[in-house]
Amino acid sequence: MYGLGRYLTDLGARVPVAKDAWGKLWRGPPLPGELEEIQLVEVRNATAEPDGTFKTYFLRVPPTIRSARAAVAWTFGLDAEAYAPKVET
């Protein structure tokens, strides 16, 4: 089974580089054939699955981003200050 722990270990990420209410930011060395470090934001789906659990997702973001909030905002084409959802579904 290939779970979260093994994925992060294989990525070379040991501890999150940033963490806030929006998620966790993970960074690892460049992937083969790439020059920049890989950076991912770990987020949890706000909507429960039918069994009551919440899925965790990793979204790749540019390595220049420095906070989880900024990373999530980037996925919506916004900067951190502009990202302020009133409701999450």
Side-chain angles (χ1 to χ4, degrees), residues 13-73:
R14 302 290 182 246
V15 296
V17 294
K19 183 164 58 168
D20 59 33
W22 301 100
K24 296 177 186 174
L25 201 57
W26 297 88
R27 188 174 304 135
L31 295 174
E34 294 188 6
L35 299 175
E36 293 184 323
E37 294 176 313
I38 185 171
Q39 185 160 265
L40 306 166
V41 63
E42 176 185 348
V43 294
R44 195 175 101 170
N45 193 349
T47 305
E49 298 297 311
D51 66 359
T53 61
F54 293 86
K55 286 189 176 182
T56 298
Y57 294 93
F58 288 84
L59 309 172
R60 190 167 181 180
V61 297
T64 55
I65 293 176
R66 296 292 173 239
S67 73
R69 180 180 180 175
V72 173

